[in-house]
Amino acid sequence: MATDTHPLSLPPDLIRLGAAPAGKEAAIREAAQLLIAAGCIDPAYADSMIRRETVANTFLGHGVAIPHGMVDDRNLVRRNGIAILQVPDGVVWNDGQTARLVVAIAAQSDAHIAILRRLTRLMQDEARLNALFTTGDTADLVAALSDESAAPATPATEAGDLAESFEWVVDYPTGLHARPAAAWVEAARSASGRVRVRHGQETADGKTLVALLQLGLRPGDRIAVSADGPDARAVLNRLRATITGLSAREKADAAAAARKAKAVVQGWTPPVSAGREMPVVAGIGASPGLAIGPVHVMPKADLTVPDRPVPLLDGGNRLHEALNLTRQQLKALADDTARRLGPAEAGIFAAQAELLNDTDVITLACQLMVEGHGPGWSWNEAVERSAVRLAANPNPVLAGRAADLRDVGRRVLTRIDPDLRSGSIRDLPGTPCILVADDLSPSDTAALDMGRVIGLATAQGGPTSHTAILARTLGLPAMVAGGGALTELANGTTAILDGQSGRLYLDPTEADLAAAHGWIEEQRIKKAQQEERRSLPARTRDGHTVEIGANVNRPDQVAMALSQGGEGVGLMRTEFLFLERGDAPSEEEQYETYRAMLEALDGRPLIVRALDIGGDKQVPHLHLPHEENPFLGVRGARLLLRHPELLEPQLRALYRAAKNAKPGALLIMFPMITTLREIETLRAVCDRIRAELEAPAVPLGIMVEVPAAAIQADVLARHVDFFSIGTNDLTQYALAIDRQHPELAAEADSLHPSVLRLIRLTVEGAEKHGRWVGVCGGIAGDPFGAALLAGLGVRELSMTPRDIPGVKDKLRGSDLAGLRALAQRALDCESSDEVRALEGEAS
């Protein structure tokens, strides 16, 4: 069959004026018949165009629809072409969408992109577009849409530059996408006059994010940025600084993404195949393990927005309130993401918030309400029209911003009409799959059917999110932050998910699958051997015992922790009682939780950490003041001492629980202690509350998370009963590296010799007063890290339950003298790489 890849052409015989089809399917078949008669497509392609409507909305907006066939049916296209069906009275395309121009497309490659760009520009010229809906001359449509026609005419005064201008060549590696565009808009918004960005003959309002994105700027494009008004020169100076200042950041992000994709894999390594490299989507490991199976991409819930008209004033007020509430929600998300993952990732939410300031979308929604539509329907229609225009952009990064617009639009919509909130996960395939989603809520993750979901990969999220924590608790291999490429995968694609390295390998060969299955079997045998012995104590070959606890936050998690060999709870993070709800829990609610924890443990130790918020853990409903540098601000014990309304109900609940517990079963520790005065003040509060309740004495300990506490451990040990080292925080404070920073996080290694020396200082200080030291940070759950800690003199380790069997097995296979020698060699190392190179000696 002869084919071609020439640009689309529009001869007059492919235009039918004054059509009146009975419905959408009839319109598609009538337009397809024009293409069949012209020899552009096989007759079967008409059915493909009908099928396309069941999986995608081809309504472009403003009365224009662009039906086309399924990608898999491109072989039915004989030659490129378009056909136009003019429907003056309109045909209902979907609910709330009426098409008056049906532009049927037959294209084997991306030849249709040019016509889509012409259509999106044409839709900005409403007068001309409306004229095309009723014209009786096919030449008008040919002139507007044929390959030979120029872009819609724009007056010279509009297409040119404003009074003051400068030129710039786009050097962002991925072109102008939402995050830098949002910064451009922010810099331009304060201008008293107009700001314009021009690329060739196309212009955009520099104060409007959607308009900037629709320019489709790519690397190497030359643009002119201009302004008028009395402050034009100052505005352009500010804009130039913003635009060029982002170049280094954009290049660094692109380089970091490239490094991430090529980074040394810590986990399963695919076999080397001659002449072939397996496609991979790189993200961040969230829960270790290997999963093999078909990908199932969770679709966004289909949404039918009812049109419920209300008085115009009420509708306007409802939209205004929804926009403000959504801005607040996005601000909170951006702040939280900046603290957890860094400013680059937080820019996603800042850019989404900027979309809410797009006057075109808001104006259109208001216009639709004026026409008599309801606020929810009007807003959704306005968002959808803009999103469809963005999706037509030839730059895939920018086309992806349509998803951002729809996402933020959905947030506003559910504020306008709470009944439109989508439900939880559903419609999973009958066979086990790797579930791929844009993101999942903690409740969705907790509700996963483990018989049908063998792995989890999300485009968004971070390794410390509640979703990631739940995945680890469930033992479900998971990766996060895989980006938009994940959700574009085809359902059924065979993949190998490595939750340790955070990689999703696609289309593996038989050799790849055999290697992966072999690795899984090796790990299964090793784990089974460890689990057979998990109930045995962690006693070295020469009789030294290390106590092993579990990090558990709720009573219902205790049974699983004990079944994995946990000998108690070494860390209960009580902030989860505050984070997972919209208000602070009462004293009675906290008491019931602590009582249930103690009952579930049946006399085994429970170490409860007092409320630890601030830094990367914020509780919005507490309305705490914003801090520019929260990791060095009011967090942990500092916050508790400033907020007795948080501290005292928690202590009362704990001491009440202690009255009914076995002696010594409950221990309390305070986070982020820096000074002796903090300990003395907290102990005085404890003594007062204990006396008021006539409760028994409870051992009081502190978290060692800052170098000051480690260095002065010999002083602090006189005033506490035990230490628990939080190695994650201790590492970031010792190395001055935010452990969630996207570029530096890999360097925040808790096995750095300086961190190990601080741990040794803590142990030595505690031993002077007969106190014991535990570790509840990340390296406690790593068998090699646990071996080093035991060699340094740590007596208790607490970790995620799934890590317990492996750590116990490692310690039981060692002797204390060997561990001490290993620890000394680690202390003498000059880098964390040198320390990790000792791993083979940890026996």
Side-chain angles (χ1 to χ4, degrees):
M1 181 181 295
T3 61
D4 66 69
T5 57
H6 293 99
L8 300 174
S9 59
L10 183 57
D13 62 348
L14 281 171
I15 299 174
R16 181 168 296 169
L17 303 178
K24 179 169 77 169
E25 181 172 344
I28 293 173
R29 292 196 181 280
E30 191 171 345
Q33 190 58 45
L34 296 174
L35 292 170
I36 293 169
C40 294
I41 60 174
D42 276 359
Y45 195 70
D47 293 327
S48 181
M49 295 169 76
I50 298 298
R51 287 198 302 276
R52 181 80 180 195
E53 297 299 314
T54 66
V55 298
N57 183 5
T58 62
F59 186 78
L60 193 59
H62 291 268
V64 179
I66 52 168
H68 48 285
M70 302 288 285
V71 173
D72 293 341
D73 293 329
R74 283 181 176 176
N75 61 302
L76 299 175
V77 176
R78 294 176 176 173
R79 63 182 181 86
N80 295 331
I82 62 171
I84 296 181
L85 196 69
Q86 181 205 60
V87 187
D89 294 332
V91 59
V92 174
W93 208 255
N94 293 306
D95 288 344
Q97 298 173 340
T98 300
R100 290 181 170 83
L101 282 184
V102 178
V103 183
I105 298 173
Q108 283 195 322
S109 59
D110 60 358
H112 64 291
I113 288 175
I115 195 69
L116 294 180
R117 288 182 62 80
R118 288 192 178 85
L119 285 169
T120 57
R121 291 200 298 270
L122 183 59
M123 287 190 295
Q124 297 172 26
D125 188 348
E126 289 192 17
R128 190 179 188 196
L129 184 60
N130 288 333
L132 294 177
F133 291 161
T134 57
T135 182
D137 188 350
T138 58
D140 292 339
L141 286 161
V142 172
L145 296 174
S146 71
D147 287 331
E148 290 75 24
S149 71
T154 305
T157 56
E158 289 298 317
D161 301 329
L162 302 173
E164 300 280 352
S165 67
F166 70 86
E167 290 192 345
W168 181 68
V169 176
V170 178
D171 63 359
Y172 302 165
T174 55
L176 181 63
H177 56 98
R179 277 179 284 178
W184 290 24
V185 170
E186 186 65 28
R189 180 167 292 133
S190 61
S192 59
R194 294 174 294 172
V195 176
R196 178 175 295 158
V197 178
R198 177 179 58 80
H199 175 227
Q201 292 300 307
E202 295 185 67
T203 64
D205 181 351
K207 300 180 183 181
T208 303
L209 182 64
V210 171
L212 283 176
L213 293 177
Q214 286 177 345
L215 286 176
L217 297 179
R218 301 185 181 197
D221 285 348
R222 182 176 295 276
I223 64 171
V225 184
S226 60
D228 60 14
D231 59 347
R233 179 44 49 192
V235 168
L236 289 183
N237 287 340
R238 185 167 60 248
L239 256 175
R240 186 197 294 269
T242 298
I243 291 171
T244 58
L246 288 168
S247 294
R249 172 79 264 174
E250 289 296 305
K251 292 173 182 175
D253 285 350
R259 286 196 303 271
K260 184 171 74 171
K262 297 179 180 179
V264 175
V265 175
Q266 298 296 326
W268 176 69
T269 303
V272 177
S273 300
R276 180 186 182 273
E277 189 170 322
M278 199 169 10
V280 61
V281 178
I284 299 174
S287 179
L290 211 62
I292 305 170
V295 163
H296 177 74
V297 181
M298 190 175 78
K300 292 188 181 295
D302 293 332
L303 186 68
T304 300
V305 181
D307 193 355
R308 301 189 183 111
V310 299
L312 184 58
L313 181 60
D314 291 347
N317 288 340
R318 198 179 299 176
L319 176 58
H320 178 72
E321 180 182 12
L323 288 167
N324 283 338
L325 288 171
T326 304
R327 288 187 184 100
Q328 294 171 18
Q329 181 188 41
L330 290 170
K331 177 64 165 62
L333 280 170
D335 288 347
D336 181 59
T337 304
R339 280 185 287 267
R340 292 189 296 105
L341 301 177
E345 284 73 12
I348 294 170
F349 299 110
Q352 284 195 343
E354 188 55 53
L355 290 168
L356 294 178
N357 298 324
D358 185 79
T359 55
D360 290 344
V361 176
I362 295 172
T363 299
L364 178 56
C366 292
Q367 288 173 343
L368 292 169
M369 283 191 285
V370 170
E371 293 173 8
H373 298 287
W377 187 94
S378 298
W379 171 255
N380 188 64
E381 176 71 5
V383 167
E384 185 62 23
R385 291 184 188 181
S386 291
V388 168
R389 289 199 300 273
L390 277 174
N393 197 291
N395 185 326
V397 174
L398 301 177
R401 298 290 72 76
D404 277 335
L405 181 57
R406 288 187 172 107
D407 182 43
V408 75
R410 186 69 59 88
R411 292 179 187 274
V412 175
L413 188 60
T414 57
R415 295 286 185 176
I416 296 173
D417 187 348
D419 291 340
L420 296 174
R421 291 193 176 100
S422 58
S424 59
I425 296 172
R426 61 185 188 278
D427 298 331
L428 291 173
T431 55
C433 67
I434 297 171
L435 181 62
V436 171
D438 186 58
D439 205 354
L440 288 178
S441 68
S443 59
D444 279 338
T445 308
L448 286 175
D449 182 346
M450 297 293 287
R452 299 167 72 187
V453 177
I454 57 175
L456 176 63
T458 64
Q460 299 183 38
T464 59
S465 68
H466 291 175
T467 297
I469 291 170
L470 281 168
R472 290 194 290 272
T473 301
L474 292 167
L476 186 69
M479 66 173 276
V480 296
L486 274 178
T487 54
E488 295 171 4
L489 295 175
N491 275 340
T493 301
T494 302
I496 302 172
L497 171 65
D498 186 350
Q500 182 173 347
S501 66
R503 279 168 161 74
L504 186 69
Y505 298 96
L506 306 173
D507 296 320
T509 64
E510 290 299 323
D512 296 327
L513 291 171
H517 282 295
W519 190 88
I520 290 175
E521 180 62 16
E522 290 175 9
Q523 297 302 307
R524 186 194 66 77
I525 293 172
K526 181 178 179 181
K527 185 176 180 181
Q529 292 171 343
Q530 293 171 349
E531 290 188 347
E532 284 179 4
R533 302 185 289 265
R534 65 184 183 273
S535 60
L536 300 175
R539 184 175 296 119
T540 62
R541 292 190 297 249
D542 51 356
H544 176 74
T545 301
V546 178
E547 295 180 20
I548 303 295
N551 296 343
V552 169
N553 303 320
R554 301 195 313 267
D556 61 345
Q557 297 171 336
V558 170
M560 194 275 281
L562 297 180
S563 72
Q564 291 299 306
E567 298 160 0
V569 170
L571 173 64
M572 178 188 180
R573 303 180 181 92
T574 60
E575 58 269 19
F576 278 79
L577 301 177
F578 292 73
L579 289 167
E580 296 178 342
R581 52 186 293 153
D583 56 358
S586 66
E587 175 187 324
E588 190 64 26
E589 289 173 306
Q590 292 191 66
Y591 162 71
E592 288 297 334
T593 300
Y594 305 140
R595 181 192 58 77
M597 287 284 285
L598 287 163
E599 284 188 1
L601 285 165
D602 192 26
R604 299 176 183 87
L606 167 65
I607 303 178
V608 176
R609 183 173 69 188
L611 179 62
D612 183 16
I613 55 176
D616 61 340
K617 297 185 289 289
Q618 295 294 312
V619 182
H621 61 76
L622 295 181
H623 305 295
L624 300 173
H626 171 74
E627 294 185 274
E628 291 300 323
N629 196 340
F631 281 108
L632 299 181
V634 179
R635 61 171 299 202
R638 298 170 184 171
L639 186 140
L640 291 174
L641 291 172
R642 286 166 172 80
H643 291 273
E645 76 280 6
L646 296 175
L647 172 63
E648 297 196 10
Q650 182 170 41
L651 290 177
R652 291 182 62 85
L654 285 165
Y655 276 106
R656 286 173 59 192
K659 293 176 69 173
N660 299 315
K662 293 182 180 179
L666 177 65
L667 300 86
I668 301 173
M669 64 181 175
F670 293 101
M672 285 299 296
I673 293 293
T674 308
T675 67
L676 178 58
R677 178 173 297 178
E678 290 168 343
I679 295 174
E680 292 173 335
T681 305
L682 287 166
R683 185 174 278 280
V685 176
C686 290
D687 289 343
R688 172 173 57 80
I689 289 175
R690 181 173 67 83
E692 291 172 0
L693 295 173
E694 298 181 350
V698 170
L700 298 179
I702 64 169
M703 295 286 293
V704 175
E705 299 166 283
V706 297
I711 294 168
Q712 209 176 9
D714 59 335
V715 174
L716 303 183
R718 287 201 304 267
H719 303 271
V720 298
D721 299 302
F722 65 94
F723 290 143
S724 185
I725 300 174
T727 53
N728 297 340
D729 266 319
L730 184 62
T731 299
Q732 79 169 347
Y733 287 120
L735 303 181
I737 294 176
D738 180 352
R739 66 177 189 266
Q740 301 295 351
H741 194 285
E743 293 181 35
L744 302 176
E747 299 176 35
D749 193 337
S750 295
L751 295 186
H752 192 284
S754 61
V755 179
L756 299 179
R757 292 183 185 192
L758 288 171
I759 293 171
R760 181 59 187 164
L761 271 178
T762 304
V763 171
E764 289 173 345
E767 287 176 345
K768 289 182 179 179
H769 302 280
R771 311 304 189 203
W772 60 269
V773 176
V775 169
C776 57
I779 59 172
D782 170 48
F784 175 58
L788 281 177
L789 293 171
L792 289 169
V794 172
R795 300 297 300 269
E796 184 259 1
L797 301 171
S798 189
M799 64 207 69
T800 301
R802 62 171 173 77
D803 292 332
I804 292 173
V807 167
K808 279 188 160 186
D809 213 50
K810 184 68 170 180
L811 294 175
R812 281 195 297 266
S814 308
D815 62 77
L816 183 59
L819 294 177
R820 286 173 174 167
L822 174 71
Q824 186 56 55
R825 287 196 294 277
L827 292 172
D828 294 336
C829 287
E830 297 181 355
S831 69
S832 54
D833 289 339
E834 286 187 27
V835 174
R836 291 192 177 277
L838 299 173
E839 184 165 358
E841 303 176 33
S843 59

